[in-house]
Amino acid sequence: MTIKRILSGIRPTGDIHLGNYLGAIYNWVEMQHQSQQNLFCIVDLHALTTLQQTENLALNTRTVAAAYIAAGIDPKKSAIFAQSHVPNHSELGWILGCFTPLGWLNRMTQFKDKAGKHKELAHLGLYAYPVLMAADILLYKASHVPVGEDQKQHLELARDLAAAVNHRFNTDIFPMPEPIIQGAGMRVMSLRDGTSKMSKSDISDYSRINMMDTQDMIEQKIRKAKTDMEPIPETVAALAGRPEAQNLINIFAAMSKQNPQEICSVFAGNNFSEFKKKLTDCLINTIVPIGNNMRELMKEETELDKILSNGAIIANDLAEKHMYEIRSAIGLLKK
Ligand code: AQP
C-alpha cells in the first residue's frame, strides 16, 4: 500500500493509557515507516470539548507528546505538534462548518453518547467537533487516517464534506482521505467493567493501565482486575458473555503479538491467577520502559517543547500552503 500522508491524534484529556497505546500509538509506530509523511497531533482544541478535563491541559499536552516519542514515534520521521499551534485548523473548521447540514451532525452517535440526557446543556464545541476533526484531516490533504472503530463515522463526515466542497466549487481541492481501522478493531475495555471502554475520563484509576504506571501499580491493577469464576475456555467462541475475561485475553494477545485463540489454547482449563501473572509480566516488560522513558522526556521540558515547535513549523508550512489554495478555491479575497 502506498501511503502519502498520515494524520492522527490523541486528546490531552488525562492519563494516557493502554487503550490509547494498543488502539492508536502502537500502530502509528509501525506505519510511520510505510508512509512518505506523518503528522501526529496532540489535539488540544478537541480537549476543550469536555471542559471538565482541561485542568492540566499544557502538562497533558507535553505528556501525550512524551508518550508518542517514548513509544517509538521518531520526531525525525514524523511531525509531532499541538493542534492549537496551527491556527488554520480553526479557520478551516469554520469554513467547513458553513457546508455542514445540521442533519449530518444530528446523526453522530458520539455526540449522543457524550452529551448524555441533557442535550440542550451540551456545548456547541462538542456538537461541532466532528467538523473540526474533518478540518484536521482535510487541512493537510491526509491520504490515510488511522482511526479507532468509534471514529469511523467522523471520517465518513470528513469524506462527505470533502466531496461537498469539491462539488460546490467544481474543484478537487480535497482528496478523499482513506481510513485505516486500527488493530483489527482493537478496543481495550475497562479493567473494572468489560462492557465499557478503557478511558482517561473513568474516575477509577483501577479501570485502566496508565502508560506511566509503575511495576507495583500494574501488578495491583491486574490482580484486582475483574474476572469471573469460570476457568479459561479452550476456544474464543466460549468467551461470549464473559466481557472481562475476553478483555484480559484480548489484551494479552495484543501485547504478546498472538491471537486470542492461541492464548485460550495455552491457558485452557486454568483459572485466572496464573494467567494474570503472565499478563502482568508481559505488561510490565512493555509499559514500564515506555513510562520510564516518558518520565525522562518530561524532565527535559525545553527539549520536548523544541520537538513540538519543530513539528508545528512543518505542520504550519503545509497548512498555510493548503489554506491558500482553499481560500482561492472558495473565492475569498487574497491577502
Ligand atoms: N479503550 C480504547 N481501546 C482502543 N483504542 C482506544 N482509543 C482510546 N481509548 C481506547 C484510541 O485512542 C485514540 C485517541 O483517543 P482520544 O484520547 O483522542 O479519544 P478517546 O477515544 O475519547 O479516548 P479516551 O481515553 O476515552 O479519552 P476520554 O476519556 O477523554 O474521552 C483514538 O484512535 C481512539 O480510538
Side-chain angles (χ1 to χ4, degrees):
M1 176 167 58
T2 315
I3 299 183
K4 193 166 168 247
R5 185 175 297 129
I6 281 179
L7 174 121
S8 206
I10 291 182
R11 298 195 317 143
T13 42
D15 288 325
I16 186 155
H17 54 75
L18 185 68
N20 300 129
Y21 176 67
L22 287 177
I25 306 173
Y26 174 81
N27 304 291
W28 303 349
V29 172
E30 288 294 309
M31 264 178 232
Q32 69 180 332
H33 303 293
Q34 294 155 21
S35 120
Q36 290 163 16
Q37 188 166 36
N38 308 291
L39 300 157
F40 294 120
C41 194
I42 298 116
V43 282
D44 48 0
L45 296 178
H46 285 290
L48 296 175
T49 60
T50 42
L51 291 172
Q52 67 280 15
Q53 292 171 282
T54 55
E55 226 169 70
N56 298 311
L57 199 46
L59 174 69
N60 288 338
T61 301
R62 285 198 184 100
T63 313
V64 175
Y68 287 0
I69 301 162
I73 303 287
D74 178 359
K76 292 200 187 79
K77 182 93 192 109
S78 306
I80 299 171
F81 62 99
Q83 182 189 27
S84 64
H85 292 181
V86 186
N88 296 129
H89 287 254
S90 306
E91 181 184 354
L92 185 56
W94 175 261
I95 292 173
L96 293 179
C98 296
F99 293 89
T100 311
L102 290 185
W104 290 5
L105 289 182
N106 289 339
R107 286 202 290 272
M108 297 294 128
T109 53
Q110 281 234 339
F111 175 74
K112 291 176 196 154
D113 294 346
K114 293 202 170 176
K117 286 188 194 128
H118 305 290
K119 281 198 193 58
E120 66 286 0
L121 295 178
H123 297 115
L124 175 63
L126 184 64
Y127 186 64
Y129 103 82
V131 180
L132 182 60
M133 184 173 154
D136 302 337
I137 297 164
L138 299 179
L139 179 60
Y140 299 103
K141 302 190 185 189
S143 62
H144 291 82
V145 185
V147 282
E149 197 74 35
D150 50 349
Q151 295 289 333
K152 250 168 69 180
Q153 200 185 25
H154 295 159
L155 194 80
E156 276 306 316
L157 181 85
R159 288 168 62 90
D160 289 345
L161 277 169
V165 176
N166 284 349
H167 181 259
R168 167 71 179 74
F169 295 100
N170 194 21
T171 163
D172 55 3
I173 196 95
F174 294 131
M176 282 296 144
E178 296 296 331
I180 303 179
I181 303 299
Q182 300 188 313
M186 176 72 195
R187 197 169 158 85
V188 182
M189 309 309 280
S190 157
L191 301 178
R192 310 300 298 159
D193 170 7
T195 61
S196 55
K197 175 172 106 118
M198 185 177 283
S199 211
K200 300 183 216 92
S201 51
D202 195 316
I203 47 166
S204 166
D205 195 50
Y206 277 84
S207 68
R208 63 185 163 261
I209 303 290
N210 298 316
M211 296 308 289
M212 287 172 83
D213 278 350
T214 60
Q215 177 165 337
D216 283 356
M217 285 163 158
I218 294 176
E219 275 166 6
Q220 271 189 51
K221 287 180 180 181
I222 296 298
R223 202 178 322 119
K224 294 198 171 181
K226 192 173 168 197
T227 47
D228 53 41
M229 304 304 282
E230 302 294 315
I232 296 175
E234 274 172 32
T235 65
V236 172
L239 284 167
R242 299 174 62 187
E244 285 82 18
Q246 195 162 27
N247 185 36
L248 292 185
I249 284 172
N250 285 344
I251 293 174
F252 198 174
M255 296 298 292
S256 61
K257 299 188 175 58
Q258 299 176 76
N259 64 51
Q261 182 52 56
E262 287 173 296
I263 306 293
C264 284
S265 305
V266 171
F267 291 97
N270 290 340
N271 63 26
F272 276 91
S273 60
E274 194 50 36
F275 168 87
K276 280 186 169 184
K277 279 187 203 144
K278 292 270 168 26
L279 172 61
T280 302
D281 290 345
C282 190
L283 284 166
I284 287 171
N285 286 339
T286 304
I287 303 301
V288 172
I290 295 177
N292 289 341
N293 210 343
M294 283 173 71
R295 269 182 278 276
E296 288 305 310
L297 287 159
M298 299 285 290
K299 277 190 220 156
E300 305 294 334
E301 210 171 86
T302 319
E303 279 303 302
L304 203 51
D305 288 354
K306 183 98 181 77
I307 291 172
L308 287 171
S309 67
N310 285 342
I313 290 171
I314 297 169
N316 269 303
D317 277 356
L318 209 53
E320 194 40 59
K321 189 168 135 252
H322 291 167
M323 226 27 248
Y324 180 84
E325 294 170 13
I326 296 162
R327 288 186 206 111
S328 302
I330 64 175
L332 291 169
L333 182 65
K334 286 198 175 87
K335 282 197 219 171

